[in-house]
Amino acid sequence: MEEFKTHYRTCNLCESMCGLEIKYMDTTVISIKGDKKDPLSRGHICPKATALTDLYTDKDRLKTPIKRTKNGWVSISWEDAFDEIETALKRIQKKYGKNAIGSYRGNPTVHNIGLMLFGAPFLQSLGSNQKYTATSIDQLPHHFASLYMFGHYLMLPIPDIDRTDFMLIMGGNPAVSNGSIMTAPDFANRLKAIKKRGGKVVVIDPRYTETAKIANKHHYIKPGTDALLLLALIHVIFEENLLNLAHLKMHTNGLETIKEVAKNYTPKKVATIIGFTSEEIQQLAYDFTASKTAVCYGRLGLSTQEFGGLCQWLVNVLNCITGNLDSEGGALFTKPAIDIVGLSKMTGKTGSFNKRQSRVHKLPEFTGEFPVATLADEILTPGEGQIKAMITIAGNPVLSAPNGKQLEKALESLEFMVSLDIYLNETTKYATIILPTTTGLETPLYDLVFHQFAIKNTAKYSEALFEKTAEQKHDWEILKELTKRFTGKENSLNLEQTLDYMLQFSNYKNPKLSISTLKEHPHGIDFGSLKPQLPNRLFTTDKKIELAHPLFIADLERLNKKLKLLKINAISKFPFSLIGRRHLRSNNSWMHNSIRLVKGKNRCTLLINPIDANSLNLKEGQFVKVSSDVGQVKLPIEITNNIMYGVVSIPHGWGHHRKGTNMKTAQQHAGISFNDLTNEQNIDNLTGNADFSGTKVKIEGVKGV
Ligand SMILES: Nc1nc2c(c(=O)[nH]1)N[C@H]1C(S)=C(S)[C@@H](COP(=O)(O)OP(=O)(O)OC[C@H]3O[C@@H](n4cnc5c(=O)[nH]c(N)nc54)[C@H](O)[C@@H]3O)O[C@H]1N2
Ligand SMILES: Nc1nc2c(c(=O)[nH]1)N[C@H]1C(S)=C(S)[C@@H](COP(=O)(O)OP(=O)(O)OC[C@H]3O[C@@H](n4cnc5c(=O)[nH]c(N)nc54)[C@H](O)[C@@H]3O)O[C@H]1N2
Ligand code: SF4
Ligand SMILES: [Mo]
């Protein structure tokens, strides 16, 4: 009998970069286990990893280009698809100008080395300003804070969780999400290790989350009020002389301004509004500062809210003024082998803001892209510069971006749309042509982005496990061909050659990195823990951390207005705050076609507190109508003590009942879409990021389904 073979690779599904050990025979996967020798993940995996097999064998996956006709979708050849796309896009450029072609790139872009290396040159070849990505429905406020504080939008401080004595987690649920902007595989055990070594973990979240359950302490907070808590903590630190800038003492600007503005936010003033007592706020400030090392980590729940920019700024300020920025056990900057930040010294690309404004709502550009919240209006509003054609790459904005129904209307109105995707789904069904791509086990991987955000410096290259079929194309091959058609020039380098070129600039010389050295180390290479790097690594012109940039200070006005409103506590037509949640066996909107991931009890439910359920006379499992100012959905409820009074939760990424898709398993487990309730007008006015969290809704019981 033939022996099984073993293949080592990195999982591309979330930010954790888990090492996988895959046993296979021919083109059949026998087992997927954690790779114990991976220096970062140490053998950890989650249930999604085994679904990589399902993605590989999924009969609903598209394998050849398809074109929408009056009689439905038909397969066409790659050559015809490229010709038609070139002709249509060039016609539209000629008729309406270059900005008539919009693009949206979704989350798997950053998990796909082909899209990372070949996506930007293609979009550049089109010369359009109308660029959108999932960044503005996710981590934009982190980038914004880093741009103005450290001079580079990618200089994101990463919690040193393996050495910290105190971790304050706000608006993140890494026990389920496996960590984000903190590549920390096996997060739950790393968190338990903090407790084991005598440290403490405190979680601040409107839901008693899976992370909260393994922490020392959890505290509810009213959605959208975290900036007030952070300011009150900073207030206590100044007021009680708990300040400690450690080695950064001579390297900051604006400390006095922070002290001045924090005066206004006494614990007493903010406590009831955020759902704390003033003693609890004070105690948190004492615990944080009394700990030898500590780190505050604020993630999605802090970013996708009304004050996302302020929150991420204040998280950095808190770490900095307590001696926990750029220090072991605090938040540190990484030094990956291929160092996009370091390389900016050559490329000069450090990020930009508000260099131009969007056409319809005058929203600011961030590093070349506009907020996706305004995409539908850019398509639907006539006039010079209106988007007439769209390119979507690895994205499903109909389910992921605010007000999905409005976006559907917009996509339907386009003259032409092309999608690079693996499925005919809620977004790609509006395409004129879908170009199917390889994914997962069929692709090579080097994590350009997540090595940059990891809690340790490592490097790893994964070769494709299975050869693609003759009819399939990799994302990068498709993009390379399309680029050639718009520049007239052939890029002579393939994917590995491009990576090999970049590896020459590696931060590490021992061993000297190249694709071939990386192939000799299939488990990855360990370059050790993160180290302090400031002030050298700063990109600010005076090499100082800007603690109080005027943009943040000015935005406090908006927060103050909100504070006044919250004090009034007026009766609202939409009395509940809706928040999201993630599940270990789900991944945004696109992994629901795997039976092993969706089977079991329905997960697309509304969580509600027993007090709220009682007052509305609702019973467990009953269907409710949830309405917001833009739409309504119906789904069953789950009554639980694990959610704050006045807050309800629905997971995002569901809503697969929409007609015209071809994902049969997902359709059978359709759920409803959170983003049929979110209003695209609700954004963080400072950064342009979508404000999903705390969407105001009304709940009413309904009979039957
Ligand atoms: N209400 C609410 N909305 C949210 C969130 C929330 O918490 N609440 N979260 C937000 C966040 S954090 C994010 S990142 C976004 C995600 O938003 P999106 O990135 O728009 O959505 P995904 O669900 O990740 O869809 C990924 C798409 O890529 C395709 N795909 C998968 N792999 C590949 C590949 O290798 N190549 C190509 N070409 N395509 C591929 C899939 O089929 C799918 O169509 O959603 C955001 N939206
Ligand atoms: N299993 C799984 N893993 C994933 C994903 C997935 O879909 N499934 N998606 C991946 C992606 S794209 C991302 S970006 C990451 C996100 O990773 P995380 O940032 O960990 O995201 P969530 O799990 O959505 O956690 C957000 C938390 O914020 C809380 N929250 C909501 N509003 C507020 C608020 O106003 N204040 C506070 N303090 N908390 C609030 C929510 O209750 C929730 O617990 O996860 C990644 N990993
Ligand atoms: S946590 Fe799960 S999905 Fe994320 S990289 Fe690891 S195995 Fe893959
Ligand atoms: Mo995300």
Side-chain angles (χ1 to χ4, degrees), residues 7-12 17-20 22 35 38 52 111 113-114 440-447 451 459-466 474 495-496 499 503 514-515 518-524:
H7 169 84
Y8 295 99
R9 67 183 292 106
T10 299
C11 175
N12 65 302
M17 295 202 292
C18 292
L20 308 179
I22 305 181
D35 175 5
D38 184 293
L52 283 168
H111 297 273
I113 184 67
L441 304 179
E442 304 144 5
T443 56
L445 182 65
Y446 181 96
D447 270 291
H451 280 122
K460 182 166 157 185
Y461 180 67
S462 312
E463 292 180 73
L465 167 57
F466 297 130
H474 293 305
L495 181 85
E496 285 204 351
L499 250 182
L503 284 165
S514 65
I515 289 286
L518 288 177
K519 282 182 182 172
E520 285 161 21
H521 295 81
H523 308 286

Side-chain angles (χ1 to χ4, degrees), residues 107 138 299 582 588:
N107 170 276
D138 186 348
R299 196 43 196 110
R582 286 175 155 74
N588 295 329

Side-chain angles (χ1 to χ4, degrees), residues 49-105:
T50 39
L52 283 168
T53 317
D54 305 342
L55 273 180
Y56 178 62
T57 55
D58 190 341
K59 296 261 183 313
D60 289 343
R61 280 258 318 267
L62 299 170
K63 293 291 166 68
T64 58
I66 55 172
K67 181 183 165 179
R68 190 149 45 89
T69 69
K70 279 195 203 99
N71 304 319
W73 292 95
V74 293
S75 287
I76 57 171
S77 72
W78 281 100
E79 203 49 34
D80 286 351
F82 287 132
D83 286 347
E84 286 198 32
I85 293 164
E86 181 184 351
T87 308
L89 293 181
K90 284 186 175 164
R91 177 184 63 77
I92 285 166
Q93 281 182 326
K94 204 164 160 210
K95 190 163 166 199
Y96 304 106
K98 290 201 162 162
N99 290 334
I101 301 178
S103 64
Y104 173 81
R105 281 174 292 164

